[in-house]
Amino acid sequence: MPTIEPLQPSAAWNQFTAEQADWDAADPALLETMTVQMHLIRAFEEQVLELAGQKLINGPAHSSIGQEAGAVGSALPLTTADQINGSHRGHHQFLAKALNAVAPDGFRLGADWTPDVVTVLYRTLAEIAGLSDGYCHGRGGSMHLQWKEIGAMGTNAIVGGAVPFATGFAKAHQLAGTDAVAVTYFGDGASNIGSTLEALNIAAAWKLPIVFFIENNHYAVSTTDDESTADARLSVRGLGFGIPSWRVDGQDALAVKLVMDEVLAHVRTGQGPAVVEADTYRYFHQNGPFPGSAFGYRSKEEEASWRDRDPLQMAERHLERLDIADREQLDALRRGCKQLMRELAGRITEPDPAGRPGQLRIRPELWPPASFIDVGIRGDWPEIDPARVRTGLDFAADELATARFVDVIAAVMHRRMETDDRVLVLGEDVHKLNGGSRGATKGLPQDFPGRVLGTPIAEAGFTGLGGGIALDGRFYPVVELMYADFIWVAADQIFNQIGRARHMFGGDHDMAMLMRLKIGTTTGYGSQHSMDPAGVLSTSVGWRIIAPSSAVDYVGLLNAAMLTGDPVAVLEHDADLYKLEGPAPTDLDYVLPFGKAAVRREGSEVTLISYLSMVQRCLDAVEQSGVDGEVIDLRWLDRASIDWDTITESVQKTNRVVIVEQGAQGTSYGGWLAGEIGRRLFDWLDAPVLRVQGGEAAPSISKALETAANANTDDIVAALNELKG
C-alpha cells in the first residue's frame, strides 16, 4: 500500500479580527483621522455618482462606496516613499494615499479643511471629469489616477494589468536598499488573472517588498466569486507561492490598519511579500449610481445586510462609545464633507445655457485643448554631446575589429552596465548558459552580480516588472524576450501598460527601458518562434523601434535608444546576424543620430527600403538584377522616428519604391509604410509601391517550407525586374 502523508503549506495563513479592546486601546487621534478620511471619500464618491447621473462624467464611474475602510486602513501606515497602484475601482485608495501625503498629522473633527486637502479633492474630481486641472490633465479620467510624487503610481483599467508593475516598484526599492514597499490593490476578478499569478510567483521567488492587497467585494461585474473560483477565500492564492497571507474584515478600518502594521513589519524587514484579503462589498453596480439589485444579480436583502455593517457607521459607533465624538459632531462631519464636495463640483460645472432648467454642463474653459491629444506620447530627443555622434559610415579601418554580431551585443551592454549602475538586465536564462540561450549576455552575470536577473518563464510577469521599474525611474531595465513571438504572451504589459503609461497618465514622466527581441526566422523553430514583430510593434503608441543591420549600427543605435526617456524595442536577428562575423567598433560609446536612416547604396532607378538582414539581400539583389537601385536601411522603424527626409529625397530622385521585409504578410511592417509613402509622395511615384514579403502562413519547421515562407534575394530580384518591365 502506498504511504500518504499530509503536506503543509510553507507559509502561514491567518484570519485577523480586531476586538473591542483594540478600539479601546487605539489612539483617539487615529480613530478621528480614519473616520474623517472615510467620510471625505464617501462624500467624494457620492458627488462623482451625482455628476455621472447627470451625464457629466464621460465613461464609467466605478465608485468605491462601501469599501472605504480597506483603503483608509491600509494606506495610513504607508509613507510617501511607499508606492501603490490599483485597478479601475481605485478612487478611494488614491484619495487615501493623497490625503495622508498632504495631511501627515491626520484629521480632527470640526477642523477646517486645509488648502492642500481641498486641492487633492478638486484635482481628483477634475481628473475624473476629464479636465486639464486633473492630475493627468484629464487623460486618465476615473480609471487612470496618478500622482507619482507621493507614491500613487497609477490606477488601471485592465483587470490585473497593474499588478506586475508593482513588482517593478518593489524591485526598485530592493535594489535601492530602502525599506519602502509597494502595495498593489486588486479585486476578486484580478485574482484569477494570469499576470497576477505570475507577479505573485516572481515576488515570492525574489523576496520582493510588496503587499498584494485583495479587495474581495465578491462580484466581478455580476459574476460571484463562488462562481469563478473553487475557494472564494482569495488569500489562499498566496499559499501556492509560499507567501504569508491574511484575511481581514474589510468593513473594519481599524482591523485593516492593524493587520497592515503586522504585514508591513514583515515586508519592510526583507522577509518577502505578503497577501492581505479584505472581505468587503461595493454598494453599487460595477459602475454608475444604481445598486446591483437593479440589474437582478443581487438581492435587496443581501445589500441591506452589508449596509448594516457600513464601515463609516462602525467607526462612528466606536467614537461615540469612547466619547471621542458625539452624534452632533459626526452629523456635522457628514454635512461638512457633502458641502465641500458640492462646492468643488460647482467649480467645474455651470448652468447649461442650452439646457432645461437646472441642467448643468462642464465649464468649457476647463477642458484640455484638442491640440493636447498627442502631446507626451513619448519624450523629445535628448541633447547629446556632438563629439559622441557618428553616422556609422565614418569609421576608419583602425577603428574597427572583426567580431561576431552577438559578441558585440554582449560587449556594448557590458559597457553600458559598467558606466551606468542603474542598468539591469532581466529575462529567461540571461544569468546562465554563458550568456543566455545565444550568448548575448556573456560575461554580464559575473561582472555585475545582482543586476542580471534570470526570470521564471513568465513573460507577462517579468515584462511588466520591467515596466514598473521604468515607471519608478530610479533604474533602467533591459528586458530580453527569448523570441519575438512572445510579445503575444506579454501583450497586455507591452501594449496596454508600458506603451501607453506615459501618455495616459498625462505625458509628464519618462518610461525609459529597453526590450530586446530575438527574431527566430530561418532557425527551424517553426510557426511560434519565427515572427518579425516590427509590423505589430509599429501599431502600438509609445514604443520606439530600432533595427540594427550591422554590429556598427547595433552599438550606435543601442546607445541612442538608452538615452531616450522612452520604451525602445531593439530587433535582433538570430540566424542571419548573430553568428555573422564582420567589422565591429572598438569604441562602444558613440551614438548614431536619432531617427536617421542610412543610404547603403545610392542609385537612380528605384528606392529599396528595408531593415535588419534584408538590407544585405537588397544590396545583393541590386547587383544581380542590374537595376540601379538606391538602398535605404531604415534603422528606426516606429512612426515617430522614421526618417521621412531621407525617404522623400530618394523617392523624388528614383520615382519608384520597393519595400522589402522577410516575414509573413499578416504581421507586415511594409503595409502601413507603403500606404504612408503613397499618401505623402503620390505625385512623385511613377508606379505603385511594390512590397516584397513572406507568405501568408508563418514559417514551418520543414526546411523547404520555411524557405518558401520567407522572402529572399530572388524575390527582390523579381520585384526589381517587374519594375524594369
Side-chain angles (χ1 to χ4, degrees):
M1 293 288 291
T3 300
I4 299 176
E5 298 181 17
L7 298 175
Q8 298 299 319
S10 60
W13 186 25
N14 295 306
Q15 178 74 44
F16 188 99
T17 303
E19 305 292 345
Q20 181 167 303
D22 296 304
W23 283 87
D24 295 346
D27 183 349
L30 168 67
L31 302 185
E32 282 191 69
T33 292
M34 290 194 307
T35 304
V36 174
Q37 283 197 11
M38 287 193 290
H39 269 286
L40 279 172
I41 293 170
R42 175 71 60 87
F44 179 93
E45 292 285 59
E46 289 171 339
Q47 187 63 64
V48 168
L49 290 184
E50 183 175 329
L51 293 173
Q54 298 175 64
K55 308 299 184 185
L56 295 174
I57 301 296
N58 188 41
H62 302 99
S63 77
S64 61
I65 295 175
Q67 300 181 193
E68 297 90 349
V72 170
S74 63
L76 273 170
L78 301 179
T79 72
T80 54
D82 299 322
Q83 295 167 316
I84 70 167
N85 70 359
S87 71
H88 54 281
R89 192 180 313 284
H91 305 165
H92 54 327
Q93 294 142 2
F94 177 85
L95 285 172
K97 189 72 161 71
L99 291 171
N100 285 334
V102 299
D105 296 328
F107 291 82
R108 297 294 175 267
L109 290 164
D112 292 334
W113 308 119
T114 68
D116 286 342
V117 167
V118 173
T119 296
V120 163
L121 295 167
Y122 170 71
R123 291 193 67 190
T124 308
L125 186 64
E127 184 57 48
I128 291 171
L131 307 180
S132 290
D133 289 342
Y135 283 102
C136 304
H137 312 304
R139 284 201 184 128
S142 176
M143 297 185 288
H144 307 293
L145 295 167
Q146 184 195 71
W147 187 10
K148 187 179 172 185
E149 290 75 11
I150 58 98
M153 305 299 282
T155 55
N156 201 285
I158 302 295
V159 175
V163 181
F165 265 41
T167 63
F169 310 152
K171 186 62 185 176
H173 294 320
Q174 188 182 69
L175 290 164
T178 74
D179 70 348
V181 305
V183 180
T184 183
Y185 294 96
F186 55 96
D188 41 293
S191 299
N192 302 320
I193 293 286
S195 59
T196 299
L197 304 180
E198 290 183 21
L200 284 161
N201 181 59
I202 291 174
W206 293 358
K207 290 190 177 299
L208 298 181
I210 181 172
V211 179
F212 296 91
F213 195 100
I214 306 172
E215 277 191 320
N216 186 0
N217 65 25
H218 303 284
Y219 286 88
V221 189
S222 65
T223 302
T224 66
D225 49 7
D226 288 324
E227 292 175 292
S228 59
T229 189
D231 191 337
R233 301 169 301 171
L234 300 177
S235 48
V236 73
R237 301 285 187 274
L239 302 190
F241 301 101
I243 301 176
S245 302
W246 286 260
R247 295 190 81 231
V248 66
D249 181 1
Q251 306 302 90
D252 185 336
L254 181 63
V256 176
K257 197 273 182 185
L258 293 175
V259 79
M260 280 295 287
D261 287 340
E262 185 173 318
V263 165
L264 290 171
H266 166 89
V267 175
R268 290 196 198 278
T269 54
Q271 299 180 68
V275 171
V276 175
E277 176 191 2
D279 187 27
T280 187
Y281 199 76
R282 57 171 165 83
Y283 290 172
F284 290 90
H285 179 53
Q286 167 74 353
N287 74 82
F290 301 103
S293 57
F295 298 87
Y297 64 85
R298 297 196 308 208
S299 68
K300 293 182 178 180
E301 291 75 19
E302 177 186 305
E303 291 171 344
S305 70
W306 279 94
R307 283 186 177 269
D308 287 342
R309 301 190 64 255
D310 183 86
L312 279 66
Q313 293 177 13
M314 182 185 298
E316 287 180 352
R317 285 194 294 268
H318 283 293
L319 263 63
E320 288 184 280
R321 182 181 61 81
L322 295 167
D323 292 326
I324 297 172
D326 57 29
R327 188 71 257 162
E328 184 178 347
Q329 289 174 297
L330 295 170
D331 289 345
L333 171 63
R334 170 73 169 160
R335 290 193 302 271
C337 293
K338 294 284 287 183
Q339 177 60 30
L340 173 60
M341 290 313 307
R342 282 193 293 269
E343 292 172 0
L344 295 180
R347 286 175 59 180
I348 68 170
T349 61
E350 66 182 13
D352 187 346
R356 59 185 178 277
Q359 186 173 350
L360 300 176
R361 70 175 185 179
I362 297 293
R363 295 180 184 272
E365 68 272 16
L366 298 180
W367 292 114
S371 59
F372 185 60
I373 181 60
D374 288 336
V375 174
I377 292 174
R378 58 192 67 79
D380 296 329
W381 295 125
E383 294 289 335
I384 305 297
D385 179 0
R388 289 190 64 187
V389 180
R390 307 287 295 266
T391 68
L393 307 174
D394 57 348
F395 282 87
D398 61 358
E399 296 180 287
L400 301 171
T402 300
R404 292 194 312 162
F405 193 105
V406 72
D407 292 334
V408 174
I409 294 175
V412 70
M413 189 55 62
H414 190 285
R415 179 61 177 162
R416 296 285 65 78
M417 297 183 78
E418 179 182 53
T419 57
D420 186 351
D421 59 10
R422 300 177 308 119
V423 178
L424 317 168
V425 173
L426 61 147
E428 296 160 10
D429 295 310
V430 296
H431 62 317
K432 292 185 177 180
L433 302 177
N434 195 27
S437 61
R438 291 295 188 272
T441 55
K442 185 186 300 181
L444 303 186
Q446 295 78 20
D447 291 348
F448 307 103
R451 293 168 57 195
V452 180
L453 311 175
T455 67
I457 300 176
E459 282 82 6
F462 70 74
T463 302
L465 182 143
I469 293 174
L471 179 55
D472 173 90
R474 284 174 287 178
F475 296 91
Y476 188 98
V478 178
V479 176
E480 177 185 308
L481 292 187
M482 193 177 288
Y483 285 92
D485 307 67
F486 301 167
I487 65 169
W488 296 124
V489 184
D492 174 51
Q493 297 301 311
I494 292 171
F495 301 118
N496 280 326
Q497 310 301 337
I498 296 169
R500 296 179 181 176
R502 180 177 189 142
H503 183 264
M504 75 180 181
F505 289 130
D508 294 331
H509 62 74
D510 287 348
M511 276 296 294
M513 66 177 290
L514 195 74
M515 180 172 65
R516 292 182 43 240
L517 298 173
K518 181 176 67 183
I519 299 174
T521 312
T522 73
T523 60
Y525 268 68
S527 294
Q528 296 174 331
H529 288 69
S530 300
M531 175 187 179
D532 176 352
V536 175
L537 287 169
S538 67
T539 67
S540 177
V541 171
W543 282 93
R544 296 191 189 271
I545 311 166
I546 55 174
S549 63
S550 69
V552 170
D553 272 17
Y554 191 94
V555 172
L557 288 174
L558 187 88
N559 289 339
M562 293 181 70
L563 291 172
T564 73
D566 303 317
V568 184
V570 53
L571 310 187
E572 303 171 4
H573 203 297
D574 184 349
D576 285 0
L577 292 179
Y578 269 10
K579 297 177 182 178
L580 190 67
E581 286 197 355
T586 53
D587 171 17
L588 297 175
D589 293 324
Y590 67 89
V591 176
L592 287 180
F594 296 113
K596 184 66 177 175
V599 177
R600 300 299 181 189
R601 182 190 189 278
E602 293 189 1
S604 61
E605 294 183 290
V606 61
T607 298
L608 293 91
I609 302 174
S610 194
Y611 57 93
L612 291 176
S613 63
M614 298 306 283
V615 172
Q616 184 58 51
R617 290 188 172 91
C618 287
L619 293 169
D620 294 341
V622 167
E623 298 305 317
Q624 292 179 29
S625 68
V627 174
D628 187 21
E630 182 152 295
V631 177
I632 295 177
D633 183 347
L634 287 174
R635 289 177 168 171
W636 297 84
L637 304 187
D638 59 279
R639 294 170 188 248
S641 308
I642 196 166
D643 184 357
W644 282 109
D645 290 342
T646 296
I647 292 171
T648 299
E649 183 179 350
S650 180
V651 174
Q652 288 177 346
K653 176 172 57 175
T654 68
N655 310 121
R656 289 175 172 80
V657 177
V658 177
I659 299 172
V660 178
E661 55 190 319
Q662 187 176 45
Q665 295 173 10
T667 53
S668 168
Y669 175 80
W672 86 266
L673 182 58
E676 190 66 8
I677 289 172
R679 185 182 72 83
R680 290 173 179 249
L681 302 171
F682 179 81
D683 290 342
W684 296 93
L685 292 172
D686 291 342
V689 176
L690 289 185
R691 291 169 54 198
V692 175
Q693 59 195 358
E696 181 179 358
S700 301
I701 285 179
S702 164
K703 181 67 174 177
L705 295 177
E706 180 183 57
T707 300
N710 293 314
N712 55 40
T713 305
D714 290 343
D715 297 322
I716 306 171
V717 171
L720 293 174
N721 288 332
E722 180 181 341
L723 277 179
K724 188 166 57 176

